[in-house]
Structures are given as structure tokens and as C-alpha cells.
Amino acid sequence: MIKVGLVGYGTIGKRVADAVAMQKDMKLIGVTAHSYSFNTEVAKQKGYRIFAVGETDLKSNGIKPDGDINNMLEEADIIVDATPKDIGRDNIERLYRPKKIKAIVQGGEKHKTTSTSFVAQCNYNEALNKDYARIVSCNTTGLCRTLDAVNKRYGITSVHATMIRRGADPWDIYHGPINAIVPVLEMPSHHGPDVQTVLHNVEIFTTALSVPSTLMHLHTLTVDLKKKANMNDVVELFKNSTRIRVVRNAEHLRSTAEIMEFARDMGRLRGDMPEICVWEEAIGVISNTHNKLLYMQAVHQESDVVPENIDCIRAMTGFKDGEKSIQMTNKSFGIK
Ligand code: NAD
């Protein structure tokens, strides 16, 4: 059993904790609480052990912690750190490296923090036996999954992609916009260079903007190919690639809102959709040359990185068979 500790029990952390608890080869040592909230109450109800970070208001709210974060570190083989941007980097230097404990950080951290950036179906082996790795952001994970499939089948000359990003997560009352479309005023946006930390040889240029929605990101991509493609083959390619779901107008899955409703109706935990959803009708190949591919995809920001954390735990603790790990993880999530 791989003993996993979870630091940063928020949007990503609580999902990773549940996913770890579902794996037959993993044991969740516990989760941290930085301050009391409904998240802590739910963790307690689930029977997770709770370890305090610093001075907390847990006791005054009726929760007796099972120890502090150092107690959790002593028991764990590996930590998944899902704290906000920059805290994961500081935790590596302050907590994990001095105690020689392996750790995974998330996409808010920079590539140089761990020098290994991870998307299971693209570069599982790069994380094998590593002490530190980073799961790339939700957007980068989405781009890497579909572009890796396209690159392996046709070869990519270059990519231009635009990310239409949700303004905030559904629970988040602090971020927006609520009545504007906000372009990212940097060229390229950081997503392109981030993709190259996983797909090292793919030429990609990205732009991004935020919109008043909490339900998924939407990407539009134009990909110049080395080999000619036809639309039916591309549809089959995506259907046969792991963690990608082809969705259709005929199913009335015409928007991010309907995809999220579909995930809830399927009974997915928290109504999550960890697969990247590509719209069949929005796949196009420019017909005079057949080597320019266009498609659109939706990315559920709260969940697509969660299976990646599970596979990265296995890779870093020495499980060599990446395909098998992906299969085991997919099965536990109900992903085909
Ligand atoms: P979040 O704010 O929802 O959760 C962070 C949690 O960490 C909170 O529960 C907070 O109390 C806790 N925390 C804060 N400081 C801490 C500390 N010093 N020690 C322990 N716990 C601490 O954040 P999130 O959205 O889950 O993001 C976490 C990471 O995942 C970031 O790197 C982010 O960029 C990345 N990420 C977020 C999303 C998303 O859409 N939310 C998607 C992919 C990746």
C-alpha cells in the first residue's frame, strides 16, 4: 500500500483525497486543515484523519485534530500538495525536502519547482521514481491530452489555441468577471510554454481570455499537421484515446452547461467530468490541403487533473507500467 498524505484540502485536494481513498493500492493517511470550514466537517464525516497546519480554529469549532502536519509527514510515503500557488513550492523547501519525503505539487507552481511536469498519457515515465513532480494546470492537461493523440497519429507542425476560461470555480465568491470578457494581455499566454514542459517538441502559441461562467473552460484549436487527416479518422482517434470523450449535438451536449448536467446525471462524484470533451461537430479538416485540423474542447477545471495525481503517485513510487496505472485509475473513476 502506498501511504499518501494530502496537504491543502480545497477544490483539488478534496477530490484527490477521495480518489486516493478509492485506490486498492493506496492508503490515505489523512488531510490537513489550515482553518475550520465545511470542508473540514465533510472530511470528518468521511472518516479522514485531520492534521492541523499551524494555529487553527478547529478545536473551538468542535473538531479535535489527529495531530499536526508533521505527524502526517512522518507516516506518509508521499504527499500530494494542493495548496494555493507558491505555497507548494515553499512547502517542498520547508517541509518535504528536509524530511526526505516525496511530493507532488499542482499547476499553480512553476515547472522549475520540480523540473518534472506530468500528464499520465503523455509522459508517465518521466515521473518514475522522482522525488518531486508537478501536475500541470487544468488547461495545460486538456491541451496535452488531445494534442498528444494528434501528434502521435499525424505529427504536429504547429498549434494555435485560444483558451476561453471560466471566471471562477462555482463555490468562489471572490473572483470574476461577472459582467465582462477579459483578455489575457500577454502574448503568448503562459499555457503554450507550459504545454512544452510535457510535449517537449510541439510548437504551440496560445492566447486566453476569461468569461463570466463557472462551468468549464472551452478551448478552440487550429493544428497544422505533418500528415493529411480526414474528419472521420480524427473522430475515431479521439474516441479511442484515454480520458477524452467525444460529445455530440445529437445528445444535446451543445454547451459546457449541458456537459456538467450530464456528469451529474451519470452520478459522477461531485458531478465531475475528468475527461476532456471534444465536440464531434466542431472537428474540421480544411479540405483543400487536409493538413489543417480545427476542433473545440471543454475542460472541467475542478477534476481533469485528479486522475493525473493518482497516476503520478504510482509513477513516483516506482510502479513502472503507465498504461496499467491509467487503467486502474480510470476504472475507479468510471472512465471508459
Ligand atoms: P483552493 O483555494 O480551492 O484550495 C487550497 C486549500 O489549501 C484550501 O483548503 C486552503 O485552506 C489550504 N491551504 C492554504 N494554505 C495552506 C497551507 N499553508 N497549508 C495547508 N493548506 C493550506 O485551491 P485549488 O483551486 O484547489 O488550487 C490548488 C492548486 O491546484 C493550485 O496550484 C492551483 O493552481 C491548482 N489547480 C486549480 C484548479 C482549479 O480550477 N481550482 C485546477 C487545476 C489546478
Side-chain angles (χ1 to χ4, degrees):
M1 293 293 253
I2 310 166
K3 289 179 270 172
V4 184
L6 197 297
V7 175
Y9 190 72
T11 309
I12 302 300
K14 61 190 176 185
R15 288 171 165 82
V16 175
D18 290 348
V20 166
M22 288 188 310
Q23 308 306 309
K24 294 195 173 116
D25 56 341
M26 296 181 195
K27 179 175 186 309
L28 182 69
I29 296 300
V31 304
T32 56
H34 184 242
S35 59
Y36 176 78
S37 75
F38 65 87
N39 280 330
T40 337
E41 282 296 345
V42 175
K44 194 181 163 201
Q45 276 170 29
K46 288 181 184 224
Y48 298 163
R49 286 199 293 161
I50 296 169
F51 295 91
V53 179
E55 288 299 313
T56 68
D57 52 355
L58 292 174
K59 280 186 192 148
S60 59
N61 283 290
I63 296 211
K64 188 169 171 285
D66 294 89
D68 72 14
I69 183 171
N70 289 307
N71 300 118
M72 188 172 85
L73 297 182
E74 275 157 25
E75 284 188 50
D77 298 324
I78 184 165
I79 294 295
V80 174
D81 185 305
T83 55
K85 188 178 174 194
D86 295 337
I87 297 178
R89 176 201 60 200
D90 292 348
N91 282 347
I92 288 183
E93 299 313 325
R94 202 170 50 82
L95 294 171
Y96 313 140
R97 206 185 293 279
K99 290 185 188 294
K100 295 189 171 42
I101 182 159
K102 288 176 184 270
I104 296 172
V105 294
Q106 309 300 313
E109 310 305 329
K110 294 199 165 57
H111 173 71
K112 67 177 184 205
T113 299
T114 64
S115 304
T116 302
S117 292
F118 184 84
V119 176
Q121 65 212 74
C122 307
N123 67 343
Y124 183 93
N125 287 343
E126 281 185 36
L128 264 183
N129 296 310
K130 288 276 165 69
D131 288 335
Y132 305 105
R134 175 183 77 122
I135 306 301
V136 292
S137 74
C138 46
N139 278 304
T140 304
T141 299
L143 291 170
C144 287
R145 283 201 194 144
T146 53
L147 288 173
D148 185 56
V150 171
N151 195 32
K152 281 176 181 150
R153 173 79 174 77
Y154 303 105
I156 290 177
T157 310
S158 70
V159 181
H160 174 243
T162 297
M163 261 63 57
I164 301 164
R165 303 191 300 180
R166 58 86 178 105
D169 287 337
W171 61 268
D172 183 351
I173 58 173
Y174 300 109
H175 295 100
I178 57 170
N179 188 22
I181 298 170
V182 186
V184 170
L185 298 178
E186 61 174 1
M187 285 283 171
S189 69
H190 71 272
H191 308 91
D194 208 32
V195 165
Q196 290 168 330
T197 66
V198 177
L199 303 179
H200 307 296
N201 300 316
V202 168
E203 169 95 22
I204 176 165
F205 191 93
T206 51
T207 51
L209 49 115
S210 301
V211 295
S213 172
T214 64
L215 305 176
M216 312 183 89
H217 305 294
L218 193 151
H219 298 169
T220 69
L221 295 98
T222 306
V223 188
D224 288 308
L225 306 170
K226 290 182 180 154
K227 286 188 210 154
K228 288 178 194 262
N230 76 57
M231 251 175 51
N232 292 340
D233 282 352
V234 177
V235 172
E236 285 311 303
L237 172 70
F238 286 145
K239 279 187 179 164
N240 293 324
S241 300
T242 190
R243 297 181 184 165
I244 298 173
R245 175 183 284 267
V246 175
V247 295
R248 296 187 303 134
N249 184 9
E251 301 169 289
H252 287 213
L253 292 174
R254 301 158 298 199
S255 66
T256 55
E258 287 156 317
I259 292 174
M260 287 284 82
E261 184 70 1
F262 176 46
R264 286 191 286 267
D265 288 348
M266 282 196 296
R268 289 279 177 86
L269 188 58
R270 293 191 176 83
D272 284 346
M273 177 61 85
E275 302 99 313
I276 305 308
C277 296
V278 183
W279 276 282
E280 182 166 330
E281 293 84 356
I283 298 172
V285 175
I286 303 247
S287 57
N288 58 350
T289 59
H290 291 274
N291 60 7
K292 199 181 272 291
L293 167 68
L294 300 99
Y295 62 97
M296 289 191 214
Q297 63 184 25
V299 171
H300 186 217
Q301 76 277 0
E302 295 161 282
S303 68
D304 69 329
V305 298
V306 179
E308 306 298 340
N309 274 276
I310 299 300
D311 292 323
C312 195
I313 291 170
R314 288 203 187 92
M316 288 170 64
T317 52
F319 188 87
K320 290 203 179 71
D321 189 340
E323 274 187 35
K324 175 92 175 129
S325 173
I326 289 172
Q327 271 172 25
M328 289 157 72
T329 309
N330 284 357
K331 194 170 171 208
S332 70
F333 279 76
I335 299 173
K336 277 190 204 157

